[in-house]
Amino acid sequence: MMPGWWRDSVRAGAPAPGGGMPSSGSFIREAAAVRQQFGAIDLRDLLRSSPAKVIAAGLTLLLLCGITGIVIATSIDNRRHGLQDMLDSTEPDANSAQHLYSALSVADAAAGTAFIAGGLEPRETRDRYNQSIGQAAVELVVQSNTTLDAGTEDPDAQLLLGIATALPVYTGLVETARTANREGHPVGAAYLSEASNLMQSTLLPMAQQLQEHRAEAIAAAQQRQVRILWAPIALPVLTLVALIGAQVYLARRTRRILNPGLLPAAITVVILLAWTVAAGTISARSAAAARDNGAVPTETLTVSHTLAQQARSAETLKLLRRDASGDYDRTFDETTSRLTTLLSGYPRHAPAQEEVGSARSHVQDWLEAHQRMTDALSRGDFPGASAVAIGPGPDEAAAEVDGLDRDLTTGIAHTRHELRAGIAGAARALNLLSAGAVALTTLAAALVSAGLWPRLREYR
C-alpha cells in the first residue's frame, strides 16, 4: 500500500515511485499548495452550508437587536434630558427675562404716576415703584448666574452689564426728581423726564433684547422636541423585516412554518415599535401644545403688559410736562395701537381667553379716559386732567390701567402654567421607554438564540 505522503505527492503531480524520491523543498511546496487548495474548497463549502447561513442570520439578528436597543435608549434619554433642561433652566431663564422687562416698565410708569399728585407721592405708588426696582434687581442677579458663566464676551452678558450699569443712574435721577418735587421745584419734572428717557432709550431696549434671546432659546428647544425621531423608528422596522426574512428562510429549509423563537421575537419588536411611535407622538403633541398654548400666548401677553406700562409712562409724562408738542401723544397712540392689535389677534384656541377679553375692555375704557384727560389739559384744567389720570374713580385712567395690569398678569401666569404642564407631559410620555427598549431588545435577542439553536443542532 502506498504511504500517505507518497500518495498525496502523486495526486499533486509529483514523480512516480520509479522516478525517485521528491526533494524536501519540492515536497513542502507541493504539500502547502494541496493544503491551500483543499482549505479554500472546505471554507467555501462551509460558508455555503445551511449551518453557516443560520449562524450568520442569528448573528445579524442579535446585532440588530443590540443596536436597536442602544439607539432607542440613547435617543429617548437625550430627548428627556432636553425636556427636563427646558423645565429646569431654559423656561425659568425666559420667565426671569420677561419679569425683568416688565419690572422695569412698571417702575418707570409708577415713577411718573407718583409725580402727578405733587409733594409727597402716595404710599401705594411709592411701594409699587420700590417693589418693581427690587424685582428688577433680583432678576438681574438670576440672569447673571446663568449668563455670566459664559464669559463677558457673550452678548447676553453685555446686555446684563449694560442694564446693571444704567439702573443705578436711573434710580438716582428718579430720587433727585422726587426730592425736587417734594420741595416744589419745577426742575423735578425735567429730572423725571431724563430718567424716563434713559429707561425708554437704554434700559428697556436692552431688557427687550435679553428677553427676545431667551424667548428664541426656548422656541429653538421646543422645535427640537417636536421633531420625529426617525432612527428609533427605522431600526425596529429594519429588525422586524430581518426577523421575518429569517423566519421565511427557516420555513423553506426546515419545512416548519413557524419558529418558536423568531415569532415571539418579532412580536416583541412590534411591541417596542408601537410603544416608541405612541410615546414619541404623545410627547411631540405635548411639546407642540406647550408651544402653541404656552410659549406663544405668554410672549404675546408679556409684550402687551410692557406696552401698557410704556403707554402709561407717556401719559403721565405728557401731563407732568404739560406737553403741547404732541411727542408724548404720538408715543401713547403708537403704543396703545400695538397693544390693541396684539390683544385683538390673541389666538382663539389659547388659554386665558377671559383675562384677554377683560383686558380689551380695559384698554378701550382707558383710551376714553385718556381722551378726557387730554381735553381737560388742552383747556388748561390741570387739576381736572390729574383727577382723570390718577383719580380713584372706577372709570378713570388709573383704575383701567390697574385692571389691565391684573388681567395681563393673571393671563401670563395661566399661559406659563400651560407651558410648563405641556413640557412636563412631553417628558412623562417618554418615562420607562429607555429602560423598556433595552429590556425588550434583550428579550428579543434571547428569543432569537432560543429559536435558532435547535435548528443548528439538527446539522450535527
Side-chain angles (χ1 to χ4, degrees):
M1 184 174 181
M2 196 183 303
W5 62 268
W6 184 267
R7 183 172 58 252
D8 292 342
S9 299
V10 170
R11 288 178 181 175
M21 183 73 66
S23 65
S24 60
S26 174
F27 174 78
I28 294 174
R29 287 192 297 271
E30 297 282 350
V34 170
R35 284 197 301 271
Q36 184 177 2
Q37 177 182 358
F38 281 93
I41 294 173
D42 292 343
L43 181 60
R44 285 196 297 268
D45 291 341
L46 177 62
L47 292 177
R48 292 171 183 171
S49 65
S50 295
K53 292 179 180 179
V54 172
I55 292 173
L59 292 176
T60 301
L61 292 175
L62 293 177
L63 182 62
L64 281 174
C65 289
I67 293 176
T68 299
I70 293 173
V71 170
I72 293 179
T74 302
S75 300
I76 296 303
D77 279 343
N78 290 340
R79 174 154 289 191
R80 288 185 67 252
H81 290 158
L83 290 167
Q84 195 62 45
D85 185 65
M86 286 178 63
L87 281 176
D88 296 340
S89 177
T90 309
E91 191 280 332
D93 286 346
N95 184 64
S96 174
Q98 291 170 353
H99 282 175
L100 173 62
Y101 190 22
S102 297
L104 292 174
S105 301
V106 171
D108 194 45
T113 303
F115 271 70
I116 298 177
L120 187 63
E121 64 271 14
R123 181 179 180 84
E124 180 181 354
T125 306
R126 170 81 178 190
D127 290 343
R128 187 177 187 184
Y129 168 83
N130 290 337
Q131 182 180 3
S132 299
I133 291 296
Q135 183 179 8
V138 170
E139 301 301 347
L140 272 176
V141 174
V142 172
Q143 290 292 308
S144 298
N145 290 337
T146 302
T147 304
L148 293 183
D149 290 340
T152 57
E153 299 301 324
D154 184 74
D156 289 348
Q158 294 293 327
L159 291 173
L160 285 172
L161 183 60
I163 295 172
T165 302
L167 186 58
V169 178
Y170 170 81
T171 56
L173 289 171
V174 171
E175 291 304 320
T176 302
R178 280 176 170 169
T179 301
N181 187 54
R182 290 170 182 172
E183 295 175 355
H185 299 316
V187 73
Y191 276 106
L192 181 63
S193 179
E194 181 65 22
S196 183
N197 181 65
L198 176 63
M199 175 66 75
Q200 299 296 330
S201 63
T202 303
L203 283 164
L204 285 180
M206 288 191 293
Q208 183 178 9
Q209 289 183 51
L210 181 65
Q211 188 267 336
E212 289 174 351
H213 292 171
R214 295 294 190 260
E216 290 170 359
I218 196 171
Q222 286 180 315
Q223 186 63 31
R224 289 192 297 269
Q225 304 310 320
V226 300
R227 292 175 182 169
I228 298 176
L229 296 175
W230 290 111
I233 296 176
L235 280 173
V237 171
L238 179 61
T239 304
L240 182 61
V241 171
L243 284 167
I244 294 174
Q247 179 73 57
V248 171
Y249 171 77
L250 288 177
R252 291 177 177 176
R253 300 292 297 181
T254 64
R255 302 296 188 268
R256 295 181 179 90
I257 298 176
L258 299 177
N259 184 281
L262 296 185
L263 177 61
I267 295 174
T268 302
V269 173
V270 170
I271 293 173
L272 175 59
L273 177 61
W275 187 1
T276 302
V277 171
T281 301
I282 295 172
S283 178
R285 287 182 177 178
S286 296
R291 177 193 61 200
D292 298 336
N293 298 331
V296 173
T298 297
E299 176 71 11
T300 299
L301 295 179
T302 300
V303 174
S304 299
H305 186 262
T306 303
L307 290 174
Q309 300 304 324
Q310 291 175 352
R312 180 60 169 170
S313 296
E315 182 178 59
T316 55
L317 285 173
K318 168 184 170 63
L319 188 59
L320 282 172
R321 301 300 298 269
R322 276 74 161 178
D323 180 61
S325 64
D327 290 340
Y328 292 113
D329 280 332
R330 283 191 293 273
T331 300
F332 180 87
D333 292 341
E334 291 173 359
T335 307
T336 53
S337 176
R338 289 182 58 197
L339 173 60
T340 303
T341 301
L342 279 176
L343 294 178
S344 299
Y346 188 77
R348 299 298 179 185
H349 62 80
Q353 292 292 332
E354 182 178 350
E355 289 84 356
V356 172
S358 177
R360 292 194 196 101
S361 299
H362 283 302
V363 170
Q364 295 303 317
D365 294 340
W366 180 20
L367 293 175
E368 295 175 2
H370 178 78
Q371 187 60 49
R372 295 200 308 271
M373 185 200 80
T374 301
D375 294 341
L377 191 61
S378 63
R379 297 192 302 267
D381 183 10
F382 181 77
S386 298
V388 174
I390 65 172
D395 297 329
E396 309 300 357
E400 301 300 342
V401 171
D402 289 342
L404 176 61
D405 180 78
R406 286 193 300 271
D407 289 335
L408 293 177
T409 301
T410 303
I412 290 171
H414 191 175
T415 54
R416 189 196 176 204
H417 173 75
E418 292 293 327
L419 170 61
R420 293 187 61 82
I423 297 173
R428 281 197 303 272
L430 302 177
N431 283 347
L432 302 179
L433 179 54
S434 179
V438 174
L440 288 175
T441 51
T442 301
L443 175 61
L447 291 171
V448 167
S449 300
L452 295 182
W453 178 246
R455 303 288 78 81
L456 286 173
R457 295 184 62 186
E458 294 175 353
Y459 292 99
R460 289 190 304 172

